Amino acid sequence: MPTPVYDTTAPVLVTGGTGYVAGWLIRRLLEEGFTVHATVRNPDDPAKVGHLTQMADALPGSLTLFKADLLEAGAFAPAMAGCRVVFHTASPFTLNIEDPQRDLVDPAVKGTRNVLETVNATPSVERVVLTSSCAAIYGDNIDVAGTTGGILTEDDWNTTSSIGHQAYSYSKVMAERAAWEMADAQSTWRLVVVNPSLVLGPGLAPTQTSESFNLLEQIAGGAFKSGVPHYEIGVVDVRTVAEAHMRAAFLPEAEGRHITSAKTMSFLDVADVIRRSHPDRPLPVRTLPKWLLWLLGPMVDKAVTRRFVARSVGHPWRADNSKSKQALGLEYHPVDTAIEEMVQQMVDTGRLKPA
Ligand code: NAP
C-alpha cells in the first residue's frame, strides 16, 4: 500500500477554507502537524471561520487565515508565499444561481487560472491538488452508456454540459481543463486532481452553503414525499474526500485524475437509508414516472429541465474507483453512516424541522 510522506517543514495553502470539503481537509492537515495557510473571503466573520480557529487550537498544526477572492488578480500571493503544496478547493457549488457565467463559470475558471498564475510565480510550490469533480468526467447520466465498457474512468471527459445545460458541471470541466493546460505548459510543479462524486457526511462549520446539504435537506425534509425521480448518482463520504486530497498531495508518485466515489445510489436508496434511523421523516417511498417528470418538472423546479429529465432520469450511473484505491491506497468510509450522521446533524442544528 502506498505510504504518504508528511513533510511539515513548509506551509501548505488551502483555498476556500470555509468550505465543507476544505474544513475536513484542514482538520487532517492540522492533525498531521502542518502549518496551514487558508484563504477565505471574510476572515473577520466568526460564523464562517470560528470552527477553523477552534480546530487549530486543539490540534498539533497551526493555521493562518488570509483574505482572497477568486476573481481578484494576485489575491492569493501573500497566502501562497513559501508554500510547498497548494490545495485549490474554492469554487461555488450551488444550483441556486441567477447568472451561470457570473455565479459559477467565472469563479471556477478565472479563479483557477488566477490561483495557478500565482503558483507559476511562487517558486516554493511543488504540487497543486485541484478539487475537481465527477462532473468534469460526465455531463448527463446517459453519457455513461457511451463510455468504453459503460463505466466512467479517468479517461472520460464531460463533453455534453454547456452554459445553458448543467452549468455547474460545465464550470467544473472548464476549470479542470484550464488547470491541465497551465500544468502542461510548465515543469516546476505537478498537478494532481481529485474528482469526487456527491460528497455526503456531517459538516464542521455551523452553517453550510454546499449543495450537498441542500439535496439531503430536500430528501429528508419532505420535498419529494410524493415521489422522487429515478435518478442515480455517485456518493462518497466527506472524510474519504479529505483523505484523497492528503494522498494526492503527499504520495510522491501520485499523478493525474482520481475518481473518488464509493458507490452508486438512487435518490430512493438515499431515502431508504434515512428511513432506517429517522422513520418518522416525510420521505419518499416511490419513484415518479419519467413522463410525469418530463411534463411537470420544469414547472416545479427550474433545474429540472426536459433535457435533464430525458438525458439523466432512469439512466444508470457507474464509475470505476479502482485508481483511487490502487494509486492512492484510499479506503472508503461507509456512505450510509455518513448520510445518517448528516441528517442527524441537520436535525440537531435545526436545519431540518423535527418530524
Ligand atoms: P462549499 O462548502 O460551498 O465551498 C465552496 C467554497 O468556495 C467556499 O469556501 C466559498 O467561500 C468558496 N468560494 C466560492 N466563490 C468564491 C470566490 N469568488 N472567491 C473565493 N472563494 C469562493 O462547497 P463544497 O461542497 O465544499 O465544495 C468545495 C469544492 O469541492 C468545490 O470545488 C466543488 O466543486 C467540489 N466538489 C464538491 C462536491 C460535493 O458534493 N460537495 C462534489 C464534487 C466536487 P465562501 O464561504 O466565502 O462562500
Side-chain angles (χ1 to χ4, degrees):
M1 202 48 85
T3 312
V5 180
Y6 298 129
D7 179 350
T8 59
T9 53
V12 299
L13 169 64
V14 179
T15 69
T18 54
Y20 169 46
V21 169
W24 285 100
L25 171 60
I26 291 172
R27 179 155 155 161
R28 278 293 291 116
L29 289 163
L30 293 171
E31 280 170 358
E32 297 299 338
F34 280 95
T35 299
V36 181
H37 293 183
T39 57
V40 299
R41 278 193 279 190
N42 185 1
D44 301 321
D45 182 355
K48 290 285 241 178
V49 301
H51 65 291
L52 298 175
T53 49
Q54 278 163 22
M55 280 193 305
D57 288 344
L59 293 168
S62 66
L63 175 73
T64 309
L65 298 175
F66 295 78
K67 186 178 169 71
D69 191 293
L70 287 168
L71 295 173
E72 196 186 322
F76 291 85
M80 205 182 291
C83 289
R84 191 175 289 144
V85 176
V86 171
F87 296 93
H88 179 38
T89 82
S91 198
F93 180 35
T94 176
L95 301 181
N96 185 17
I97 44 135
E98 286 167 13
D99 177 340
Q101 184 70 40
R102 182 197 65 197
D103 301 337
L104 290 172
V105 178
D106 283 351
V109 181
K110 290 184 183 168
T112 297
R113 287 211 183 96
N114 186 20
V115 169
L116 295 183
E117 270 156 21
T118 303
V119 169
N120 279 337
T122 309
S124 59
V125 178
E126 293 171 5
R127 192 169 288 196
V128 174
V129 177
L130 174 73
T131 315
S132 184
S133 172
C134 281
I137 289 182
Y138 80 110
D140 301 300
N141 286 21
I142 199 169
D143 300 343
V144 179
T147 59
T148 313
I151 185 162
L152 300 168
T153 71
E154 286 81 2
D155 292 335
D156 295 306
W157 283 89
N158 176 354
T159 57
T160 58
S161 297
S162 64
I163 193 76
H165 176 66
Q166 305 273 46
Y168 167 71
S169 303
Y170 183 63
S171 79
K172 294 305 287 183
V173 68
M174 296 310 282
E176 193 188 327
R177 283 198 184 280
W180 282 115
E181 199 178 289
M182 290 182 70
D184 291 345
Q186 55 77 53
S187 55
T188 58
W189 49 272
R190 185 190 296 188
L191 178 66
V192 186
V193 175
V194 178
N195 301 84
S197 57
L198 179 68
V199 183
L200 297 173
L204 292 170
T207 53
Q208 299 286 346
T209 54
S210 175
E211 200 57 37
S212 293
F213 286 82
N214 297 339
L215 180 64
L216 258 270
E217 184 181 7
Q218 282 183 297
I219 296 177
F224 297 111
K225 68 175 186 259
S226 46
V228 266
H230 180 59
Y231 180 63
E232 290 188 358
I233 195 163
V235 287
V236 61
D237 184 303
V238 66
R239 290 150 290 202
T240 310
V241 176
E243 191 58 35
H245 283 73
M246 293 295 282
R247 285 161 182 266
F250 302 116
L251 282 169
E253 61 278 19
E255 55 71 42
R257 314 172 86 194
H258 301 87
I259 289 178
T260 306
S261 183
K263 62 174 180 176
T264 304
M265 293 180 89
S266 68
F267 279 8
L268 196 58
D269 294 334
V270 174
D272 288 340
V273 168
I274 301 171
R275 203 177 339 268
R276 290 204 300 256
S277 52
H278 294 84
D280 300 333
R281 296 218 64 86
L283 294 160
V285 290
R286 66 180 73 80
T287 50
L288 294 171
K290 187 167 173 171
W291 64 265
L292 187 66
L293 281 163
W294 189 87
L295 201 63
L296 299 181
M299 292 169 221
V300 180
D301 184 338
K302 70 175 177 182
V304 186
T305 62
R306 291 198 170 137
R307 189 170 157 87
F308 168 79
V309 174
R311 293 179 52 84
S312 279
V313 173
H315 295 285
W317 193 91
R318 290 175 69 213
D320 180 357
N321 67 6
S322 55
K323 183 179 176 195
S324 71
K325 290 179 180 165
Q326 281 150 22
L328 299 184
L330 200 61
E331 289 176 6
Y332 281 87
H333 294 79
V335 180
D336 292 8
T337 312
I339 292 170
E340 285 169 7
E341 289 171 326
M342 194 175 185
V343 171
Q344 189 58 52
Q345 183 182 55
M346 285 197 277
V347 171
D348 293 343
T349 56
R351 182 159 177 171
L352 276 172
K353 290 196 197 74

